Amino acid sequence: MRCFSSSRSSTAGDALVFLFASLCALPSAIAITFNPIPSPNLDLSKLGRVALAGDFDSISLYQFQGQNQNAFSTNGSTALLTTFPNGNFDTLAQADATIMTMCPFLATDGALNGVVVGGNFTSLGNTEAQSIALFNPNNSQITPLPGISGKVNSLFCDQKSATVYVGGSFVGGNSSNAIAWVTGWTNLPFAGFNGPVTSITMAPSGNIIFGGAFDGLGNTTTPDKPDGQVVNLGSGDVTAGNPSTTTGFSDPHNIICKTGDQDGPGNTFLLADNTPGSWQEEFGFGFNPTKLRLYNTKIDGRGTQTWRFTDLSSGGIMNMTYTDPKSGAQAFCDATCPLPANNQSAQDFHFVNVVGMNGFRIDISAWYGSGGGLSGVELFQDGTYLSFNEPVCDDVSNGANSTSTGPWAQAPSGTSTSAYLTALLQGSPVNPDSASVTFFPDIKQSGNYSVTVYTPGCIGDNTCSTRGQVNLTGIMGDSPGTGTAAAPISTTLFQTNNFDKFDQIYYGYVDADSGSFRPSVTLTPAANQKGPLTVVAQRVRFELLNSTGGLNGLFEYNPNQATVDTDFSNSMIDSAGMQLDTGAQVNSLIVVGNNIFVGGEFSSSNISNIFSIGNDATPLPGGGLNSGVQDVYADGNTLYVGGNFTSTRDGSIKNLNGVAAFDTSSNAWQPLGAGVNGIVLQVVPIQLNITANHPETVITVNGFFNQVNGFGSNASFSADNFAIWVPSHQNWLNNLDITTMAITGQLVTQTGVPGNPPLLAGSISSGTIGASDAIGLSSSNGLAVQQVGSSGPNIQRAPPSFTPPSPSNSSNSTNTTSIHKRVVGDLSGADVNGAATGLFYTGSNLNISIIGGHFTARSTSGSPISNLVFVNGSASDAVTGLPPSIDSSSTFLALGTTGTSLFAGGTIAGRIGNDNIDGLVVYDLSTAAYVQPQPPTLAGSNVAVNAIAPQPSSASVYIGGVFTNAGSFPCPALCAYDTSRSQWTRPGQTLSGEVTGLMWADGNKLFVSGNLTLGGNSTQIATYDAQAQTYTVFNGANTLPGPVTTLTAGDSSYNTLWAGGKTNSLQASSPSYLSKYDGTTWQTVSPSLGTSTIFDLQVLSTTQNHGSSSLLADNQVLLLTGQLQLPGFGNASAALFNGTTFTPFLLSNTVDGGAGTLRAAFVENPSGLFQGGVHHLAVGFVVLIGLAIALALIFLIVVAGILVERYRRRREGYVPLNTGTILSRNNNMERVPPEHLFGALGGEKIGEGSPRL
């Protein structure tokens, strides 16, 4: 038998340390499958190190369908989650509120029927489902399990009986707060509990244990005064079908708000003679009627004989019971209910099924005399359903009512049960006092009540994007003898539900109305929310409860017994609850071995908030904990406990702040470091790859805290309600010197699923690697992201209050040989945060990675660094920054080097020695000191350097941006600094405006981009001839749709270009464009990228060809970085374009779960950008190779000729001369007769082919 329940519960060349993924592949899923994305086959081999800079805290390669970089939800909604093989979280189904509990529903033969999911949602996976649904892992199908109204807190799936036990604060069937599902809803024999259930488990005996905040069995009961609440009919929309035309009897309003049987003109409604008809009323509020009272007319012998009651909300005819006036027996009716003739008093009819409605119709089908009619109608209900606009029916009841303040407007019911109030509030933040609604119920009987708030769904009025939170404050009783109200209760609810929902906000005692006191519930916007914010108010329900009593938060149920033994002393578990002080609330039940561990908010003489039940109730060491326990998770013999405690009850164990571990084998408490500085609500395990390729269980801690406390040598660190404890290291993940995945958000619960990966629920964003603002990229052993340096540059989030002082947020990455320069324009409102630019410097026997932007970082020595960081691969990847002198509010946007001098530009201010710094600073990388003196400072309004481009094979460095002077020298927008003469020069005399990008095509031709004025004419792109010192408007630049934000070469000869920008203006909301210059004209790429901002472009080579395209070679792709909106996908930080299709490439997020941004890509060897992939040699190499081949062929021909000649001579009898016999000149003469030497002169033939004269 298996039972499941929810758990609430390096060297210079190795400076980029490689990391494939932080989670190794989890066991393969049988049902949940993942579709991998084909590799982009990038060839980065010729580029050396590759890095990207931006604003992010985690980043992932796009490797599986379903990955995204969407921000995690902060509106109270959660999702059903699992993990991809690369460790990132995959959303299987999104809920519109909180998933609180899950368990796998197994048949007795072990077959998986699905995973039961419970919470307070109204939709799951775009399927309307109230609080509970069945998820099918095979096809991700959601099956609603209708029949519950309220919230599900806990589930327990029992395979032995194929039963799901459900607990929460809800009404279902004839039960409250507890019910069972087999093949449908089954009432438990004890009809539930009189308070909410928060945990369910199975005892070692096999019995089912319920824990919660209840003190007895039973559901709602008949009040002392049943049907005592009058449904006010005073201001509904009353109409009639076939009314009489007789004066005084035709108005259907005649018969409402009456308690007697007055009959006559103005008091009676009649139908037309001998004609069936109807009386109908529709309301702007909802109600649950339990009794209908009708007064028949006696005018002129007329009257109603038979009728029926139709619910206008559902169209159903209601079943009724009544007492037969003749026999006195109970009778039933539906479509033809009788009404006696000439009755002297009213006839009461009770509803068999109590359902909610907002309108009804009485159809009169038969009549007495000449026609039907009525002289009075009243409607009653048990509980108090109080709507915002419920009227008072004069002379019937004082009634419930409400008051409101603020800009409320009435919205029609639409898909909801009734009309409601809605208010659209502005402000940042919204003032919590700007709107309120106070409900005053008509409570006739004091007692225990369940108070429920109804919230209409947001889909019906299309306000889902602006819904938020509301605060509910209730006054439920008065202080005896003081004449003042008791302390109010308060809770906060999300109103982001897609469909109508019901939230229990209070369970407990409510005093009845009196002359000096009246209960109330007030709804206001919650604090700290930004407008526009939509707040809605509809109705509140007060429901009287009753129970058997005798319990205190615990109940043991034997499913094998048909009846429940209400002598609770026979159960050790029930008795354990009764030993606690009254009002115990049990939040968590965990079974380890033969012991049941109970956690919650309770106490007794020797027990505080947690204890165990074995043979009896046993306090844990130290008497338990000194404040409430919210959740407990068991990992083997270790319990991980979360709550708002700080130590044991007796104070003997300290540092148990919010979270603690308890070893059940040694019976001892263990701190988790020193805990956190707030409350822990959920403790949820996940698998994480801490040691390479060895996933292990780690513990996520979720709640309300912003810091993890320091302990030992570990300093405290900031946390956003989420932290991870690593049991194998007995430390927090943040304190470990390892690189692993990043997770932000919150987890609520998890469950194992046979044959599948575990399922989790929460609101999470994740990245394959946790790194801030700078990341490396490698393709040597498969494409992967990696740290820059052995442990990264230690970049941290810049202060959130920072506002860049310049209107430009451009950035640039460069070195002396770069052929690619970024350009970024002035995007209104787009503050630069994080890294904006970077470069690798490898000259002069140095190896330094440089990253600039607006951020804070930590040096290797622990000192703070602002905005420019150096990772020195020549010194064991030591992390350093600039010496003091540059203001921390500065932002670096562009970098360039010449020799060992680093030119760093941006919106920079400071003072070095006697030199003021504005926009540009020069730093010597070899001496790690500022260059002295600095170049004369740039001047102008809001000086910003957007681009830096050292001229190849020259001592000049070109600086572009927003300025008017360099020192006292006029030099608008573009200026050149000659490092050999330490002076500024103005390139040409006709350029002005704002330069946002610079790019050298060779040592003479410079591309200039920006908002330029050239000779009085505006343009986006110009070229500058450094030798002739003249500018030319680039061909077709004025045909581009708008300003250019980035420009890059399309080939090594710069005959083609790629440009990205914004249509019409550089507003962030403006549409973007991507265009290519093919050598003659610009072509705009489609489909468009919406309102993307393209910060960087780069053509990269691939190892395999893709489909042919007119825009890119078969072995090339275009890399885009920025804030991208890809067609059919959504947000991405980087994408690849193959000439026809955009494919997500890199997905990033910030620490707060928002979408990240990539601003710049930079490489170690820019000259290799067009040398990868399927190689095509340059023309010069082709010529040299051809020459070498020609020379080789000539050599072979000569050798062959020699060999042929030797063969011919040998064939003709020539033999080598024996030089060994040559002793002297005379000997030679003796050996060759003279006539033989000269005989040929006489014409004697010496041999064939001999020449002749």
Side-chain angles (χ1 to χ4, degrees):
M1 179 191 74
R2 299 186 67 188
C3 300
F4 301 85
S5 65
S6 169
S7 165
R8 259 217 353 153
S9 31
S10 126
T11 64
D14 294 328
L16 296 180
V17 179
F18 201 48
L19 183 69
F20 284 100
S22 51
L23 270 180
C24 72
L26 297 173
S28 60
I30 294 176
I32 298 176
T33 57
F34 306 103
N35 297 318
I37 302 300
S39 170
N41 300 311
L42 295 183
D43 184 1
L44 308 179
S45 59
K46 300 293 190 298
L47 305 181
R49 292 169 292 173
V50 180
L52 301 105
D55 180 19
F56 58 87
D57 296 291
S58 66
I59 194 165
S60 302
L61 290 166
Y62 179 61
Q63 294 175 303
F64 295 92
Q65 291 182 14
Q67 278 186 259
N68 61 66
Q69 71 170 33
N70 296 339
F72 65 78
S73 170
T74 58
N75 67 355
S77 63
T78 58
L80 189 62
L81 307 166
T82 189
T83 50
F84 289 109
N86 64 4
N88 289 307
F89 284 82
D90 179 25
T91 297
L92 299 174
Q94 180 69 47
D96 65 345
T98 304
I99 298 172
M100 307 189 70
T101 178
M102 299 184 292
C103 68
F105 184 20
L106 299 179
T108 54
D109 61 0
L112 180 64
N113 294 321
V115 178
V116 186
V117 182
N120 66 342
F121 49 83
T122 68
S123 69
L124 181 63
N126 296 319
T127 299
E128 183 175 2
Q130 289 285 345
S131 305
I132 190 166
L134 191 67
F135 171 74
N136 186 342
N138 294 308
N139 54 19
S140 295
Q141 180 178 347
I142 305 295
T143 303
L145 305 179
I148 284 181
S149 296
K151 178 172 65 173
V152 172
N153 294 326
S154 185
L155 296 167
F156 184 83
C157 293
D158 180 13
Q159 180 186 352
K160 182 178 180 180
S161 62
T163 300
V164 181
Y165 294 94
V166 182
S169 53
F170 57 79
V171 175
N174 291 323
S175 294
S176 291
N177 305 321
I179 199 169
W181 175 277
V182 183
T183 57
W185 291 115
T186 301
N187 291 313
L188 296 171
F190 49 88
F193 301 92
N194 69 338
V197 173
T198 53
S199 188
I200 310 173
T201 193
M202 178 177 283
S205 64
N207 290 343
I208 304 300
I209 310 302
F210 294 87
F214 50 81
D215 58 17
L217 303 177
N219 58 2
T220 58
T221 187
T222 302
D224 292 344
K225 299 178 181 179
D227 311 321
Q229 297 290 338
V230 176
V231 177
N232 295 315
L233 308 180
S235 63
D237 182 13
V238 181
T239 58
N242 296 325
S244 172
T245 58
T246 304
T247 301
F249 296 96
S250 60
D251 188 353
H253 292 87
N254 289 347
I255 61 174
I256 62 173
C257 293
K258 293 175 60 179
T259 57
D261 58 346
Q262 301 95 335
D263 213 0
N267 289 307
T268 300
F269 166 71
L270 297 179
L271 294 179
D273 292 351
N274 299 310
T275 303
S278 63
W279 186 94
Q280 175 177 305
E281 186 165 8
E282 295 181 87
F283 304 84
F285 59 91
F287 49 90
N288 290 51
T290 58
K291 184 177 72 173
L292 173 69
R293 176 173 293 168
L294 293 178
Y295 298 84
N296 210 346
T297 181
K298 302 182 287 293
I299 296 294
D300 299 329
R302 303 167 72 104
T304 296
Q305 185 176 9
T306 60
W307 58 276
R308 69 185 179 204
F309 186 101
T310 301
D311 168 17
L312 295 181
S313 298
S314 66
I317 298 173
M318 304 302 295
N319 296 319
M320 317 292 283
T321 66
Y322 65 98
T323 300
D324 189 307
K326 294 181 179 179
S327 66
Q330 187 181 40
F332 296 84
C333 67
D334 44 34
T336 55
C337 290
L339 198 60
N342 301 314
N343 63 316
Q344 300 302 312
S345 61
Q347 177 72 52
D348 288 346
F349 296 84
H350 286 86
F351 291 81
V352 174
N353 300 304
V354 179
V355 298
M357 62 186 70
N358 61 4
F360 65 93
R361 184 177 65 246
I362 298 174
D363 294 294
I364 299 173
S365 54
W367 51 89
Y368 301 106
S370 299
L374 294 169
S375 64
V377 57
E378 290 183 274
L379 202 60
F380 301 84
Q381 59 186 359
D382 281 341
T384 296
Y385 293 81
L386 173 58
S387 297
F388 75 92
N389 58 349
E390 193 163 340
V392 173
C393 195
D394 294 338
D395 302 325
V396 174
S397 167
N398 291 330
N401 59 71
S402 64
T403 62
S404 64
T405 62
W408 296 100
Q410 183 169 324
S413 60
T415 58
S416 186
T417 58
S418 64
Y420 53 92
L421 289 179
T422 179
L424 183 62
L425 307 177
Q426 303 291 345
S428 184
V430 170
N431 184 353
D433 298 325
S434 59
S436 69
V437 175
T438 301
F439 299 88
F440 296 96
D442 182 17
I443 301 297
K444 298 183 179 299
Q445 175 184 338
S446 298
N448 287 324
Y449 282 81
S450 170
V451 181
T452 304
V453 172
Y454 290 67
T455 305
C458 64
I459 290 179
D461 59 6
N462 196 31
T463 60
C464 294
S465 62
T466 58
R467 292 283 189 96
Q469 292 177 279
V470 294
N471 189 68
L472 280 303
T473 303
I475 305 296
M476 301 302 173
D478 60 357
S479 298
T482 67
T484 60
I489 60 99
S490 182
T491 189
T492 301
L493 296 179
F494 280 96
Q495 294 194 323
T496 53
N497 45 293
N498 289 339
F499 304 96
D500 289 7
K501 73 167 181 174
F502 324 96
D503 289 294
Q504 184 186 68
I505 64 167
Y506 176 73
Y507 163 78
Y509 197 83
V510 178
D511 283 328
D513 296 356
S514 67
S516 60
F517 169 77
R518 192 173 189 184
S520 66
V521 173
T522 299
L523 181 150
T524 60
N528 301 318
Q529 298 184 92
K530 293 182 179 181
L533 174 70
T534 298
V535 178
V536 294
Q538 189 178 46
R539 59 178 180 158
V540 176
R541 177 188 184 187
F542 283 71
E543 185 174 31
L544 183 63
L545 303 175
N546 195 10
S547 72
T548 60
L551 295 176
N552 193 24
L554 285 172
F555 176 65
E556 179 180 14
Y557 166 60
N558 186 344
N560 297 315
Q561 293 181 353
T563 59
V564 174
D565 184 1
T566 56
D567 184 357
F568 302 129
S569 62
N570 294 328
S571 166
M572 179 176 58
I573 294 170
D574 297 351
S575 298
M578 294 305 298
Q579 295 177 29
L580 304 174
D581 294 342
T582 301
Q585 177 172 318
V586 173
N587 293 326
S588 187
L589 296 169
I590 293 291
V591 175
V592 179
N594 291 320
N595 292 314
I596 304 169
F597 289 86
V598 183
E601 298 169 63
F602 47 75
S603 62
S604 69
S605 59
N606 62 343
I607 290 174
S608 181
N609 301 303
I610 189 168
F611 67 97
S612 67
I613 303 174
N615 295 324
D616 53 19
T618 304
L620 298 192
L625 297 167
N626 66 349
S627 194
V629 170
Q630 299 297 322
D631 195 19
V632 182
Y633 167 73
D635 183 16
N637 290 324
T638 301
L639 300 181
Y640 291 95
V641 184
N644 58 345
F645 45 81
T646 59
S647 68
T648 55
R649 175 178 176 172
D650 62 5
S652 59
I653 307 295
K654 307 292 186 182
N655 290 328
L656 306 182
N657 298 296
V659 63
F662 181 76
D663 190 324
T664 62
S665 59
S666 63
N667 202 38
W669 289 104
Q670 301 170 351
L672 270 60
V676 300
N677 70 337
I679 300 172
V680 173
L681 299 179
Q682 292 94 18
V683 179
V684 182
I686 61 171
Q687 291 285 299
L688 195 62
N689 195 30
I690 301 300
T691 305
N693 298 321
H694 293 286
E696 60 185 81
T697 298
V698 298
I699 306 300
T700 70
V701 176
N702 310 263
F704 295 107
F705 53 88
N706 58 24
Q707 178 179 287
V708 175
N709 299 324
F711 67 101
S713 61
N714 300 284
S716 61
F717 60 88
S718 298
D720 188 14
N721 304 317
F722 180 87
I724 297 177
W725 177 259
V726 183
S728 63
H729 290 257
Q730 287 296 291
N731 208 332
W732 299 101
L733 180 62
N734 189 81
N735 293 333
L736 303 181
D737 188 19
I738 61 175
T739 302
T740 186
M741 74 177 296
I743 306 173
T744 56
Q746 285 199 323
L747 292 172
V748 180
T749 188
Q750 65 86 39
T751 187
V753 183
N756 286 272
L759 293 184
L760 302 106
S763 181
I764 286 290
S765 66
S766 62
T768 301
I769 184 172
S772 290
D773 299 345
I775 199 69
L777 192 66
S778 174
S779 63
S780 57
N781 292 303
L783 196 62
V785 289
Q786 53 199 22
Q787 287 278 17
V788 178
S790 58
S791 60
N794 299 326
I795 293 177
Q796 302 164 347
R797 178 70 47 203
S801 60
F802 169 76
T803 301
S806 166
S808 176
N809 68 345
S810 60
S811 61
N812 182 287
S813 63
T814 180
N815 60 33
T816 52
T817 59
S818 176
I819 65 170
H820 171 223
K821 305 295 181 290
R822 285 190 60 258
V823 288
V824 175
D826 172 19
L827 296 178
S828 178
D831 296 345
V832 176
N833 232 345
T837 184
L839 64 79
F840 294 107
Y841 181 79
T842 55
S844 302
N845 296 318
L846 296 174
N847 173 25
I848 303 175
S849 303
I850 309 169
I851 301 166
H854 181 75
F855 53 77
T856 59
R858 187 178 64 254
S859 72
T860 300
S861 64
S863 60
I865 299 172
S866 295
N867 309 322
L868 190 66
V869 66
F870 305 97
V871 181
N872 194 340
S874 308
S876 303
D877 287 333
V879 178
T880 58
L882 289 174
S885 295
I886 302 299
D887 292 352
S888 61
S889 62
S890 300
T891 300
F892 289 90
L893 302 173
L895 303 173
T897 58
T898 181
T900 61
S901 294
L902 170 69
F903 284 72
T907 55
I908 305 167
R911 186 174 181 83
I912 299 174
N914 295 322
D915 299 326
N916 289 323
I917 302 299
D918 194 359
L920 181 71
V921 66
V922 185
Y923 178 78
D924 193 314
L925 296 170
S926 62
T927 62
Y930 293 114
V931 170
Q932 297 286 357
Q934 290 285 304
T937 188
L938 300 172
S941 177
N942 295 321
V943 170
V945 171
N946 299 325
I948 298 176
Q951 184 178 12
S953 303
S954 168
S956 294
V957 179
Y958 283 66
I959 309 296
V962 182
F963 46 82
T964 58
N965 293 69
S968 60
F969 182 66
C971 197
L974 180 62
C975 213
Y977 185 73
D978 189 330
T979 58
S980 64
R981 295 184 297 169
S982 299
Q983 70 179 34
W984 291 104
T985 62
R986 181 180 181 181
Q989 298 295 317
T990 59
L991 182 73
S992 61
E994 177 181 1
V995 171
T996 55
L998 299 171
M999 180 170 64
W1000 286 102
D1002 51 39
N1004 186 57
K1005 183 178 181 180
L1006 176 67
F1007 286 91
V1008 184
S1009 303
N1011 185 13
L1012 309 176
T1013 300
L1014 192 59
N1017 298 314
S1018 298
T1019 187
Q1020 307 290 346
I1021 306 173
T1023 57
Y1024 174 70
D1025 187 319
Q1027 184 174 354
Q1029 298 187 7
T1030 59
Y1031 291 95
T1032 303
V1033 173
F1034 186 75
N1035 182 32
N1038 292 332
T1039 66
L1040 290 170
V1044 174
T1045 56
T1046 181
L1047 183 72
T1048 193
D1051 59 78
S1052 59
S1053 61
Y1054 290 78
N1055 291 325
T1056 60
L1057 299 174
W1058 286 91
K1062 287 284 192 177
T1063 300
N1064 299 324
S1065 70
L1066 281 173
Q1067 297 293 322
S1069 59
S1070 297
S1072 64
Y1073 70 85
L1074 176 66
S1075 296
K1076 182 185 180 182
Y1077 180 72
D1078 62 8
T1080 57
T1081 60
W1082 287 95
Q1083 302 178 51
T1084 299
V1085 174
S1086 61
S1088 70
L1089 299 178
T1091 58
S1092 298
T1093 298
I1094 304 172
F1095 283 125
D1096 203 2
L1097 295 171
Q1098 181 59 64
V1099 175
L1100 298 174
S1101 300
T1102 60
T1103 58
Q1104 296 183 18
N1105 289 346
H1106 55 73
S1108 60
S1109 166
S1110 62
L1111 295 175
L1112 283 164
D1114 294 352
N1115 67 320
Q1116 290 181 336
V1117 292
L1118 180 68
L1119 171 67
L1120 300 84
T1121 64
Q1123 297 169 336
L1124 308 179
Q1125 298 173 7
L1126 303 184
F1129 178 80
N1131 296 330
S1133 298
L1136 297 173
F1137 179 62
N1138 65 4
T1140 58
T1141 305
F1142 293 98
T1143 301
F1145 179 50
L1146 290 168
L1147 310 175
S1148 70
N1149 291 93
T1150 57
V1151 70
D1152 58 4
T1157 302
L1158 289 176
R1159 290 185 174 271
F1162 54 99
V1163 302
E1164 182 178 8
N1165 301 319
S1167 60
L1169 282 168
F1170 296 101
Q1171 296 180 13
V1174 183
H1175 304 292
H1176 300 281
L1177 294 176
V1179 175
F1181 287 110
V1182 174
V1183 172
L1184 291 174
I1185 293 173
L1187 179 61
I1189 293 173
L1191 291 173
L1193 290 174
I1194 293 172
F1195 174 75
L1196 291 174
I1197 291 171
V1198 171
V1199 171
I1202 293 172
L1203 292 174
V1204 170
E1205 180 62 17
R1206 288 178 61 89
Y1207 174 74
R1208 183 186 67 78
R1209 294 166 74 82
R1210 185 178 294 276
R1211 187 186 66 181
E1212 293 181 354
Y1214 286 87
V1215 295
L1217 179 66
N1218 187 357
T1219 59
T1221 62
I1222 301 177
L1223 302 175
S1224 65
R1225 182 185 297 260
N1226 292 333
N1227 287 340
N1228 288 338
M1229 293 299 292
E1230 291 174 356
R1231 188 163 247 332
V1232 183
E1235 62 272 21
H1236 284 191
L1237 288 172
F1238 304 105
L1241 296 175
E1244 183 180 351
K1245 183 178 179 180
I1246 298 176
E1248 183 179 13
S1250 299
R1252 301 183 66 167
L1253 297 178

